[in-house]
Structures are given as C-alpha cells and as structure tokens.
Amino acid sequence: MKILVDAYGGDNGATVMIDACILALNQFDNIEIEIVGKQDELNNLLREKNFSSSRLTVTNANNVITHNEHPVEALRTKKDSSLVVCLDKLKTGEYVGLISAGSTGAVLSGAVLKLGRLKGVSRPGLSPLLPTVKGGKVLLIDCGANMDCKPINLCHFALMGSEYMRVMEGISQPRVALLNVGTEDSKGNELTKTTYPMLQKLPINFVGNMEARDALSGEYDVIVADGFAGNVLLKGIEGTLQAFIGVLKSGLKSSTRGKIGGLIIKKPLKAILKRYDYQAYGGSPLLGTKNIVVKAHGSANVVSLLACIRQVKEFAEKDLLNKVSNTISDNLDIEELE
C-alpha cells in the first residue's frame, strides 16, 4: 500500500518527517511512502542519514502553504505546494491515505474541495483519540473542522465515530455521548436540545449528555460535539495536563524531600505521563471524506508522525473508509428525524 506524506507545514520542518518515514519503512514491510516537498532538500536529508529504499519516493513541490494564509485562496494559487500536490495525487486512487502536519484550515478545505465527501455525509469531522483514566481511549468528533453545526452534522459525527470505534478499537457497542453543559436531556443550547432526540433514534448506543469534566472518565467511547465546543474541550484538556505536569515537576524539585519523593515515584510517574502523551496517539483522522486524511499535530514529533503513518496503514487494512461509507448509506433518511 502506498502512503502520501506532506513534508512541510509542521513546526519541526522536514527532518522529523523524513525520520518518521525511515522508521515506518523499517517497521512495516507492506507499505510504500511517497514524500512530497522540496526535492533537493529532502534528498540531501536522506543522504545525510545514509538511507535509501525502493519503497521511498521523493516528489518535488516547490511551495508551502503557511498557517497565516487564507486556506481556500492558498489552495487556489499555490498549486505547486506540497499539500496541493499530495491532494491531487491522493484523488487518483493510487494511494491509501495522506498525512499532513500543515495548516489545519488548508488540509480540511483541500480535503473537502479536492477529494469530496462520502455520499450522504453533510460535513466531515476531525476525530482525535484521547486516553482515559481507565486505560482505554475515547474518540472526540468534531474537534475543529466545523465551527458552526446543524443537528444533522452531529448525527453524522455520531454515526461515523461509533463505526470508527467498532472497527478500529473492536468495541461492539460504543457508548456515544453528546457534549453538553449538563447530563439532563433538557440542558444545552438550541443545537444540543434539537440533536438529543435525533441521536436517540439512530442505530447507535447513545447514552445521553456528557459534561466536559467527564471526557476522560472512561465511561464513554465517542464524544460528539460541534467543532467549536470540541476544540475548546480538546485544548482545555491539553492545557490542563501540561499545567499539572509543570506544577508537579516544579513541586518535586522545590525541596530535598520533594526530590527524594520524585526518585521514589519516578518509574510509575513516567508510565502515567507516557499514557497521557498525545504525541503517542498519532493524528486526527478526517472522517467523512472520500479518501483517508490524517491531520498530524502542528508540533508533531517523530513518535507522533510514526503513529500517523501507522494509523493510515491500519485504516486501510481494516477497510475503515468503506465501512464508514456503508454506515452513512444505511442512514440516508436521517434528515427525516429533524
């Protein structure tokens, strides 16, 4: 299977992309990678690392779409950018998926405009996996692709998220919750109040509303949200974890007693921090487009990018795209629930 990698757009440059590709090719013998970007620079990096493989192809793209540009305008004018070249190649059907750490707006806009949506999908949703306190995972959909949503969009997110967890995590009846300000079915704004009874009628295991504080409780498998609320939840979780870790480390270093305690808990603490390291979970798949697209974190390191490549590989092996498509096709009359 052939995987496309956008070499540019991430905070850490092309070097980490090259390193991740090398690790992936050494780890998985059933993949080929085509990395797209400034060919001379990429080839120089490969020579520096003394790496050569018939399963790694470098394709030239002279331009880069930055985070400061208007996504749609950049897609239109920068046709020789690494992202646009990747998207054009992906829609040929020769590749199983694409990984990019570039501008979120450009990746999302490009995926919808150039690849198109699966039949029946109103809007695709960004869907990261988050660790829970019980050692499992919970899928958050949407976390930023759609700032303003309608009930039909949230219903599609619920269907796609439920199927994702069934296929990829092996959960027969994923517990689907609606992000809200309270657990009572009467709580929320107009969007959540309208969506709630619609979710009850879908062929999913809808367990009701969920408050943000319970996101990592392990009591849910899928969290459904509009992109605005979902993004606030995600950034809040990331910021809280980073703050807690910073305070903990500072406290352990502040006194001799703290340093001794730090040595005692060093091993279990490392295991806990590893479980909550978002880099290890890869990127956010964009569920609902006609091709597999995984949006890597802008600051993704080699570990995270390797996990992104593994995600695309496993999505293809488990036929996730077709199974999500079939789920939506089986519920094309969903609008009648409104």
Side-chain angles (χ1 to χ4, degrees):
M1 63 181 73
K2 300 175 75 172
I3 298 171
L4 282 161
V5 174
D6 177 6
Y8 294 97
D11 300 340
N12 297 318
T15 302
V16 291
M17 287 292 188
I18 287 288
D19 288 340
C21 290
I22 292 173
L23 287 173
L25 290 169
N26 286 333
Q27 192 170 128
F28 311 120
D29 57 11
N30 64 334
I31 67 168
E32 297 177 38
I33 294 177
E34 185 168 342
I35 187 166
V36 179
K38 298 174 183 178
Q39 198 168 40
D40 290 342
E41 180 180 346
L42 296 176
N43 282 329
N44 286 336
L45 286 171
L46 287 169
R47 278 193 289 271
E48 288 175 10
K49 297 174 186 300
N50 195 30
F51 183 82
S52 177
S53 171
S54 60
R55 294 190 290 128
L56 178 63
T57 304
V58 178
T59 295
N60 189 54
N62 292 315
N63 227 322
V64 180
I65 295 178
T66 68
H67 295 269
N68 299 321
E69 296 178 272
H70 186 278
V72 176
E73 181 66 16
L75 290 166
R76 186 181 65 82
T77 58
K78 289 189 170 182
K79 295 182 179 179
D80 62 339
S81 65
S82 56
L83 176 59
V84 173
V85 172
C86 280
L87 289 168
D88 286 338
K89 283 180 168 291
L90 184 57
K91 67 183 180 182
T92 64
E94 187 180 347
Y95 308 84
V96 297
L98 161 66
I99 296 153
S100 177
S103 160
T104 301
V107 172
L108 300 181
S109 298
V112 173
L113 294 173
K114 285 186 167 291
L115 306 176
R117 296 168 294 176
L118 291 173
K119 182 181 178 182
V121 172
S122 54
R123 291 187 186 179
L126 270 177
S127 317
L129 279 174
L130 306 175
T132 72
V133 295
K134 293 185 176 181
K137 301 171 187 175
V138 60
L139 186 79
L140 171 62
I141 179 170
D142 177 30
C143 76
N146 308 279
M147 293 296 106
D148 297 295
C149 287
K150 297 178 180 179
I152 185 69
N153 307 140
L154 299 191
C155 288
H156 285 154
F157 296 162
L159 286 165
M160 292 190 293
S162 180
E163 185 65 5
Y164 178 102
M165 294 303 281
R166 188 189 70 79
V167 173
M168 300 307 302
E169 298 299 322
I171 303 172
S172 59
Q173 290 289 321
R175 298 160 297 175
V176 181
L178 178 63
L179 180 62
N180 211 328
V181 296
T183 57
E184 300 89 342
D185 56 9
S186 59
K187 287 290 184 75
N189 55 17
E190 191 64 31
L191 174 62
T192 56
K193 287 179 181 178
T194 305
T195 303
Y196 189 100
M198 294 173 65
L199 292 176
Q200 288 181 307
K201 297 175 183 177
L202 292 179
I204 59 173
N205 182 21
F206 178 56
V207 295
N209 289 326
M210 183 211 76
E211 295 183 22
R213 64 185 176 187
D214 296 319
L216 306 185
S217 66
E219 298 299 319
Y220 308 97
D221 302 305
V222 179
I223 301 171
V224 175
D226 64 90
F228 183 89
N231 192 267
V232 171
L233 173 63
L234 180 63
K235 298 293 176 58
I237 290 172
E238 289 179 351
T240 301
L241 287 174
Q242 289 170 0
F244 174 75
I245 292 168
V247 170
L248 180 62
K249 288 181 176 179
S250 177
L252 291 174
K253 294 177 181 178
S254 64
S255 66
T256 301
R257 182 177 295 180
K259 291 176 182 177
I260 294 172
L263 290 173
I264 295 172
I265 67 170
K266 184 177 180 180
K267 189 172 181 179
L269 182 60
K270 274 189 173 182
I272 293 171
L273 295 180
K274 184 178 181 181
R275 185 202 299 178
Y276 287 99
D277 180 10
Y278 69 88
Q279 297 278 15
Y281 287 80
S284 300
L286 183 61
L287 295 180
T289 54
K290 289 182 178 178
N291 302 84
I292 294 172
V293 176
V294 172
K295 173 63 180 70
H297 202 287
S299 60
N301 58 22
V302 174
V303 172
S304 180
L305 293 169
L306 174 61
C308 288
I309 295 172
R310 183 186 299 111
Q311 281 179 293
V312 172
K313 169 183 171 290
E314 292 178 351
F315 293 163
E317 288 173 341
K318 295 189 177 182
D319 199 23
L320 176 66
L321 199 64
N322 284 330
K323 289 173 181 174
V324 168
S325 179
N326 291 338
T327 295
I328 295 298
S329 296
D330 292 341
N331 292 276
L332 288 179
D333 59 349
I334 192 174
E335 293 186 26
E336 296 177 7
L337 299 177
E338 291 189 272

